[in-house]
Amino acid sequence: MTTRPRRTGATRRQLLQGLAGAVALPSLLAVSGAAPADRRLVVVHVWGGWDPTFVFDPKDPADADGPYPEEGRNKADRSTVEVFGGLPILSNPERRPGVTRYFEAYGHETVVVNGLQVGSVGHPDAVRRILTGTPTDHRPDLTAIVGSTDDGGAPTGFADLSGAGIPAHLGAAGLRLGAHGQIASLLDDEERPPAEASDAIARYLAQQTDRARLAATTPADEAQLGDRLDSLDRAARLRAHGLALPEVGQSFVADLQRATALIDQRAARAILIDTHLPWDSHVAQQRQHGNFDELFIQLHSFREMLNAGGHDDVLVVVVSEMGRSPRRNIDGGTEHWPVTSAMLLGAGVHGGRVLGATDAGLRARGIDLDSGLPDDGKEPLRADQFCAGVLEACGVDPTAWLPQATPFRAPYS
Amino acid sequence: MPLLVLALLACGTDPPAPMPDAPGAVDATHLYRAAIAMRGAPPSAQDLAAYRADPTQLEPILRSYLSDPGFAAAVRDQHAETLKLRGHIVGKVPATGPLDGVSSAQLDIDIDEMPLYLASDIVTSGRPYTELLTTELTFTNEATSIVHGLSYDPDGPTWQPAPWTDGRPAAGILSDTAILQRYQSSLSNHHRGRAAVVLSSVMCSEVLESTLDVVPPQIGEPSQDIVRTDPSCSGCHAALDPVASAFSGFDPYILRTDILDAYRAGCPEGAPCYPLDFFDTEASGDWAAFDMPAPAWKGVPVDGLAGLGQALAADPDFAECTARRFHGWHTGRDPWAVPDAVAQELADVLVEHSFDARELVVASLLHEDFATAPRRPIRPEEMARSVHAITGYRWTRDLNGAVLDLPTSSRVGYRTLLGGTDGWDVLEPARTPTPSAVLAREALAVRAGIHAVKRARDRAPAERTLFTVAAPGPMSDDLARKQLVVLHELVLAMTLDDDDPAIDDALELLRALEAVDDAETAWAWVLSALLQHDRLVLP
C-alpha cells in the first residue's frame, strides 16, 4: 500500500498510526438540516457484513489482508490512502472508482465511524443489534421508532423496503413495500372501488373494529384492535395521498428509486433499505471491491437527489451488521467479525471526520463518546450507543427505547 | 385517535356499543378461531349448526378437520415458517438438461416443498412425529425426482414418498437437500449454520440467543482454539460444533451457476449434473480433519447425522419444542412465548400418544390457553384459503409456466405485505395489523367479492351458497337484512337477528354503495367488506 495525498497532505504515519486523532478535528463546515424533531431518517443496511478495511479503516497489509491480494497487476491498480475533505479513505480508482468519486464530492459532508462493536457474529443477532440497538427479540428498529414516534404528517411513519426491518409492536405505523415493491400495484389498483365507495367501506370497517375494541375483554385484544384502527387509518391516508411508487424489481437501485419517491412525496418519515449486494464473502472476498463500488455509486446519486430536491432534513445512516475478519480463509474469503464501521451524512451531521478507531488487529479501541476521539482508557463504542445517538439526532428521546445507552453524539456535534 | 374514528364521531355517529351475538345464540368464536388456525378456513355452515346445537361437538368437529386438505396445507405452512423455507430466491436449481422445458418458477417452488410434504404426511397420517428427524424418506414430485435421482411413479399422486439413493444418513428433514441448500455452509464454517437451525428451530434451544458480546480474538490466535477458550465464543460453540460435525459428508453447497457450467461443459465426471450428488459417505468423518469435535448431542457421542436425529428425537426437549411450535402457531405467538406449563402439558399429550401430532393439535386447540389467547393477524395462507372457501375465488397469476397464488407468493405476490415471511429477508411474521396488509387484503377481497357475485348471478337459486335469500341485486330492506344475516353467518360465523346493529351498519353500507354503482356491484363490495371484517382478519 502506498499513500497518495490528494486533497490534504498527510503522511502514512499520520494516516495509519494517528488516523482518528489526526482527522477528528471539528469541521468548520456548518451543520445543515432541520431541527432534530423535523428530520427524516434513511437507514441503508449493508446486509452480510462489509469489510471496512477496503475503504473506511485502512490497515497495513502486514496486519490485515484488506483489498490488497487482488491488486497490483498494474501500477494504477493499487489502494492508497487519500484524504477527501478531511476523511482519510482507502482509494483505488481503478477497482472502486465509485468510492473515490463519492468521497471527492461528499467527503466533507460525511462522518465515518470506525471501531463500532456489535458484539455478535451471527447474521440475525447482529442485524438485530445494529438496527435496534439491542440483542433482544421483538424490539423495534430505528426507522420504526422514529417513524412511529412522530410521523411528521407523512401518511406512513416508516417504510421498510429491505425486508429486514423489525417493526415489533409498531407495525401499524409503517409500510412494508415487498421485495419487488409490490405495494405499488396495490396503491394503483384498478379493481379498487371508486373513492366514494372505498371510503364508505373503510368507515364501515373502522366502525366495526371500534365496536370490537370497546367490547374487548383483555388489554392485548384492545391493543390489537387499536392497531387495526391505526392500520386502516394509515391505509386511507396513503390512498388519499396519491403516493406513486415505481415497481421496478429487487435491487439496490430499485430500492433507492422507491426511497427517492417516498422522500420526494413526503410519504414516510423513516425509510429502511438494503443494498441487496453479496457482502457475505466467505468464499470470494474480491466481491467487496465491486460491492463498495456499487454502494458508493448509488449513494452518490442518492446524495445528489437529496441536494437537488432540497431535502436537507434527511439524515442518512449506512450500517452493516458486522465486519470481516482481517485475514482471508482457505476459500479466499473472510469470516464474520464483531467490529464494524458506519457512515453518516446529511441532516445534523458534522462531516469530514473519522470517529472512533480500531487497533492493528481490527479490535475496537476505546472512545470518548462526546468527541468521538479514540481514548484507550474508555470502552469501545457499542451498537446501543450508536443507535441512541441516531434516535436523539431525530428528536426521539432514546431513554424510552435504550435506557442503558449513553447516546453517541459526536457525529452531530 | 385515528382519523377514521374521528370522522365517524364528526358525522354524529354514536360511540359504538359492544355487539354480542343474537340473544340465546351460542358463541361460535372458539370454533371459528380453531378452524382458521387448523385448516386456514372458517367452519362450514353445517359445522356451525352442529356446534351451536351442541357445543360439546367441538372436539369431533376439529377431529374431522384432521383429514381436511387444508390441515395438511397448514402443517406445511407452519413448517415453512419454522424452517425459513419458501424463500423468494430465483433460480435455486436451473431447469436445464433433463429439466429442459420445466418451468423454472415452478421448480423454485417445488424444491422447497419436499421436506414440507414429508412433515405434513407424518402429521396427517399419525406416524410418530419423531420420524421428522429419523426417516430415510423425503417427498418428491416428478421434477424434483430428476433433480435428486429419486424413484417416482408417474401414475401415482403428484407428491410421493421416496428414499434418498445416495447413501445419506436417515435423518428426515436434517438430511433433506432443501434444508441443506437453504442453510449452505462454507469450507471454513463446517456446517455450523445447519447446526444452528437444529438448535434453534428443531429444539427451541436458547443457547444461541446469548446476549453476551462476542469480542474479537487476539492477533495470531488460532480460530479453533478461540471458539473453545474464549468465554464469549465457547458457550455457543460447545453446543454448536458437535452438532455441526454430524453433517460431515454433505456438500457445503451446490450453486446454480455450477450446475449451468457443468451442463455447458458436457457434464464431465464429477460435475454437478442431475441427479445432484450431495453426499459423500467417505467424507462423513471429515470433521476430524478440520479440528472439529466428534459428533455429539449434549455431550453424548452420536453416530453421524442418523445418530443425531435419533438422539434429538429421544430428547424430552424435542417434544416440548414441538408442543411450543404447534401451539405457538395456533395462537400466533413465538414458540418461546408459549407459557411453560402449557408447553409441558401439551408435550405430555404428544408423548402419551406416541408422538401422534394430531393429538397434540387437537389438545392445543381445545386448550383454555388457545380459547383465551389474544387476537392475532390472519396469515396470508389462511386469508387465501378462507377467501377461497367462502367465495370460490383464487387470486393467481401465470409466471413462466407456473401459476402463482398471489396472496401467498413472496416472489411476485403479497405474502410479506399480508404479514407473512419470505424465508430469506422477512423472517418474522407480523404480529400486529399493518397498513400493508390492509391494502393487500382490500385488493384480494374486492376481487373475491366480484367473483362471488358473478357466480351467484350465473347459478340457479338452489346452487347458490352465499346469496341464498336472493340473487345479488336490488332488494327491499327486509330482504337485504335477511341476506346480510346469512352473509354474517357464513363469512364471520356471527348469528345475528335481522335488526341487530351490525345488520343496520351493513345495510347502511349497502345503500351507500348503491349510490355509487349498481346494486349487484354494491353487493360485491359489501361482501368484500365482510371479508375484511376484523372478525376474519384478526381472529
Side-chain angles (χ1 to χ4, degrees):
Chain A
M1 179 175 64
T2 59
T3 303
R4 189 167 49 141
R6 179 173 284 197
R7 298 292 173 88
T8 310
T11 66
R12 172 176 172 159
R13 182 186 180 89
Q14 282 176 309
L15 291 170
L16 289 181
Q17 296 181 356
L19 203 71
V23 296
L25 301 171
S27 167
L28 298 177
L29 292 169
V31 178
S32 63
D38 296 327
R39 286 179 190 146
R40 291 181 284 173
L41 173 66
V42 174
V43 174
V44 178
H45 183 222
V46 176
W47 189 96
W50 61 13
D51 186 343
T53 65
F54 272 60
V55 174
F56 308 117
D57 197 3
K59 296 295 174 199
D60 192 289
D63 297 323
D65 290 330
Y68 311 117
E70 289 79 46
E71 298 179 341
R73 289 182 184 171
N74 60 62
K75 277 189 173 180
D77 183 15
R78 286 181 187 165
S79 285
T80 58
V81 175
E82 299 184 45
V83 179
F84 303 97
L87 284 181
I89 294 296
L90 197 60
S91 169
N92 180 338
E94 182 149 313
R95 281 188 185 268
R96 305 183 299 276
V99 175
T100 306
R101 280 199 292 272
Y102 170 85
F103 283 104
E104 282 176 342
Y106 296 116
H108 65 288
E109 294 183 1
T110 302
V111 161
V112 165
V113 180
N114 286 331
L116 173 53
Q117 190 154 287
V118 181
S120 178
V121 289
H123 291 293
D125 184 45
V127 168
R128 191 161 53 231
R129 289 170 183 240
I130 199 68
L131 294 183
T132 73
T134 76
T136 327
D137 272 335
H138 303 294
R139 303 289 286 277
D141 68 61
L142 292 175
T143 57
I145 293 171
V146 169
S148 64
T149 301
D150 178 2
D151 62 22
T156 184
F158 62 92
D160 178 13
L161 286 68
S162 75
I166 308 170
H169 62 288
L170 303 177
L175 199 62
R176 197 184 281 290
L177 275 71
H180 301 269
Q182 293 96 314
I183 197 81
S185 62
L186 299 178
L187 292 168
D188 190 26
D189 184 7
E190 293 176 354
E191 297 289 330
R192 186 193 303 146
E196 199 178 344
S198 190
D199 291 347
I201 293 170
R203 280 196 302 274
Y204 165 80
L205 294 174
Q207 182 187 46
Q208 301 305 303
T209 302
D210 206 38
R211 276 190 203 281
R213 186 175 66 85
L214 289 173
T217 55
T218 66
D221 278 353
E222 192 176 351
Q224 287 284 48
L225 289 157
D227 281 345
R228 158 103 170 136
L229 280 172
D230 288 345
S231 298
L232 288 165
D233 184 58
R234 292 272 181 200
R237 286 166 61 182
L238 281 160
R239 288 190 207 100
H241 188 274
L243 174 63
L245 288 171
E247 188 179 11
V248 285
Q250 184 185 39
S251 67
F252 188 28
V253 176
D255 270 10
L256 285 171
Q257 287 176 355
R258 285 188 279 268
T260 299
L262 288 164
I263 290 167
D264 277 342
Q265 298 172 59
R266 304 196 77 83
R269 187 178 176 211
I271 298 169
L272 177 64
I273 64 181
D274 194 276
T275 68
H276 302 296
L277 296 169
W279 293 95
D280 194 16
S281 48
H282 288 284
V283 295
Q285 189 68 2
Q286 65 271 21
R287 284 180 183 161
Q288 298 264 342
H289 291 284
N291 291 348
F292 273 115
D293 191 45
E294 176 69 6
L295 171 65
F296 280 97
I297 287 171
Q298 299 308 329
L299 284 177
H300 194 162
S301 299
F302 190 57
R303 189 75 188 96
E304 288 186 337
M305 182 283 300
L306 292 176
N307 284 345
H311 302 305
D312 64 353
D313 60 338
V314 177
L315 167 62
V316 181
V317 178
V318 189
V319 291
S320 186
E321 78 270 27
M322 59 180 71
R324 312 297 307 183
S325 57
R327 291 295 182 201
R328 297 196 182 186
N329 59 30
I330 54 174
D331 296 322
T334 54
E335 311 300 354
H336 300 171
W337 193 253
V339 177
T340 186
S341 295
M343 208 174 84
L344 302 111
L345 59 144
V349 174
H350 216 127
R353 296 178 297 160
V354 175
L355 307 177
T358 58
D359 65 14
L362 213 52
R363 291 180 299 266
R365 291 178 59 191
I367 189 171
D368 179 273
L369 291 175
D370 291 327
S371 68
L373 292 171
D375 181 343
D376 291 330
K378 295 185 174 174
E379 294 296 314
L381 175 65
R382 300 192 313 261
D384 60 336
Q385 295 164 331
F386 179 82
C387 290
V390 173
L391 290 177
E392 196 172 72
C394 292
V396 176
D397 177 7
T399 59
W401 302 94
L402 300 165
Q404 309 300 324
T406 302
F408 179 49
R409 300 189 174 106
Y412 322 99
S413 58
Chain B
M1 183 176 288
L3 291 179
L4 280 169
V5 177
L6 288 173
L8 289 171
L9 298 176
C11 288
T13 308
D14 290 335
M19 186 179 59
D21 277 351
V26 172
D27 181 1
T29 300
H30 191 158
L31 171 62
Y32 189 74
R33 300 178 79 190
I36 290 176
M38 190 171 171
R39 61 175 198 164
S44 67
Q46 293 83 351
D47 292 338
L48 277 170
Y51 177 77
R52 289 209 163 99
D54 178 6
T56 65
Q57 289 302 301
L58 178 60
E59 181 172 345
I61 292 170
L62 295 185
R63 288 192 178 281
S64 75
Y65 293 160
L66 292 169
S67 54
D68 187 316
F71 173 57
V75 170
R76 291 193 288 276
D77 298 340
Q78 177 198 334
H79 286 77
E81 185 176 298
T82 298
L83 298 167
K84 299 178 174 53
L85 293 173
R86 293 181 176 164
H88 64 78
I89 304 303
V90 174
K92 292 167 188 159
V93 292
T96 190
L99 292 170
D100 260 345
V102 171
S103 160
S104 60
Q106 188 62 50
L107 193 56
D108 280 341
I109 295 169
D110 293 345
I111 284 289
D112 273 10
E113 293 298 311
M114 297 174 66
L116 304 180
Y117 271 91
L118 174 64
S120 66
D121 184 67
I122 290 170
V123 171
T124 58
S125 68
R127 298 205 311 279
Y129 190 70
T130 48
E131 285 191 19
L132 196 74
L133 307 177
T134 61
T135 182
E136 77 282 11
L137 297 174
T138 183
F139 264 68
T140 185
N141 70 4
E142 188 167 9
T144 58
S145 73
I146 295 169
V147 172
H148 297 301
L150 303 171
S151 60
Y152 186 78
D153 176 5
D155 298 323
T158 305
W159 286 93
Q160 304 171 10
W164 295 100
T165 56
D166 56 5
R168 70 182 65 190
I173 61 168
L174 303 181
S175 59
D176 198 301
T177 303
I179 302 286
L180 299 168
Q181 283 281 70
R182 167 61 184 84
Y183 298 94
Q184 295 184 351
S185 190
S186 68
L187 294 178
S188 55
N189 199 32
H190 312 304
H191 310 286
R192 287 182 174 119
R194 292 163 177 172
V197 75
V198 169
L199 290 172
S200 59
S201 298
V202 178
M203 302 304 284
C204 302
S205 167
E206 294 178 342
V207 72
L208 303 181
E209 303 297 320
S210 168
T211 56
L212 202 64
D213 276 0
V214 175
V215 295
Q218 296 296 314
I219 296 172
E221 199 172 357
S223 61
Q224 298 293 38
D225 287 349
I226 298 162
V227 301
R228 284 165 206 157
T229 57
D230 188 314
S232 71
C233 304
S234 58
C236 291
H237 280 276
L240 198 64
D241 289 2
V243 175
S245 292
F247 286 91
S248 290
F250 284 98
D251 265 358
Y253 54 83
I254 292 180
L255 299 178
R256 166 190 167 83
T257 49
D258 294 340
I259 300 169
L260 288 171
D261 289 346
Y263 275 99
R264 283 193 201 103
C267 286
E269 188 174 348
C273 291
Y274 299 126
L276 296 177
D277 185 6
F278 210 78
F279 181 73
D280 179 1
T281 305
E282 291 180 6
S284 57
D286 275 2
W287 52 267
F290 297 112
D291 197 22
M292 289 285 282
W297 174 244
K298 291 186 176 176
V300 179
V302 297
D303 183 12
L305 197 61
L308 177 67
Q310 289 162 5
L312 297 175
D315 189 322
D317 286 354
F318 177 64
E320 184 178 330
C321 182
T322 303
R324 286 183 181 279
R325 287 193 288 108
F326 276 82
H327 193 64
W329 176 262
H330 293 150
T331 55
R333 293 182 289 209
D334 289 318
W336 59 262
V338 172
D340 292 346
V342 176
Q344 193 53 60
E345 190 182 333
L346 294 173
D348 290 345
V349 171
L350 183 65
V351 173
E352 284 164 11
H353 289 87
S354 306
F355 279 86
D356 181 344
R358 297 175 302 183
E359 296 300 326
L360 167 63
V361 168
V362 172
S364 163
L365 294 169
L366 292 174
H367 201 285
E368 178 68 10
D369 186 69
F370 173 80
T372 59
R375 299 174 73 159
R376 49 112 183 153
I378 194 169
R379 299 183 177 90
E381 296 84 0
E382 294 168 340
M383 185 71 196
R385 233 171 274 140
S386 293
V387 165
H388 181 253
I390 294 166
T391 68
Y393 179 71
R394 282 191 198 282
W395 193 11
T396 59
R397 176 175 155 190
D398 188 83
L399 179 75
N400 303 329
V403 178
L404 300 182
D405 184 54
L406 290 181
T408 59
S409 164
S410 53
R411 181 170 174 181
V412 296
Y414 305 103
R415 184 166 154 214
T416 60
L417 304 186
L418 284 163
T421 57
D422 68 8
W424 197 255
D425 291 320
V426 184
L427 299 178
E428 296 294 331
R431 299 294 190 202
T432 67
T434 68
S436 309
V438 169
L439 293 167
R441 277 195 215 107
E442 178 192 39
L444 170 61
V446 165
R447 285 164 173 79
I450 291 169
H451 172 89
V453 161
K454 280 182 182 169
R455 194 171 69 162
R457 183 188 60 199
D458 297 339
R459 284 183 169 177
E463 293 174 350
R464 291 198 295 260
T465 53
L466 288 172
F467 291 90
T468 55
V469 174
M475 289 185 207
S476 66
D477 278 3
D478 282 351
L479 212 53
R481 283 181 179 278
K482 288 184 171 58
Q483 179 59 62
L484 288 167
V485 166
V486 170
L487 291 180
H488 277 73
E489 174 78 5
L490 295 178
V491 177
L492 305 172
M494 293 168 73
T495 301
L496 304 173
D497 291 332
D498 61 9
D499 60 351
D500 189 281
I503 300 299
D504 294 344
D505 296 341
L507 182 62
E508 186 182 339
L509 174 64
L510 175 70
R511 298 307 182 212
L513 297 175
E514 284 173 337
V516 179
D517 210 319
D518 61 65
E520 189 177 290
T521 305
W523 275 108
W525 291 339
V526 165
L527 178 55
S528 81
L530 293 178
L531 292 171
Q532 300 172 70
H533 195 285
D534 64 86
R535 169 102 162 169
L536 176 58
V537 305
L538 206 55

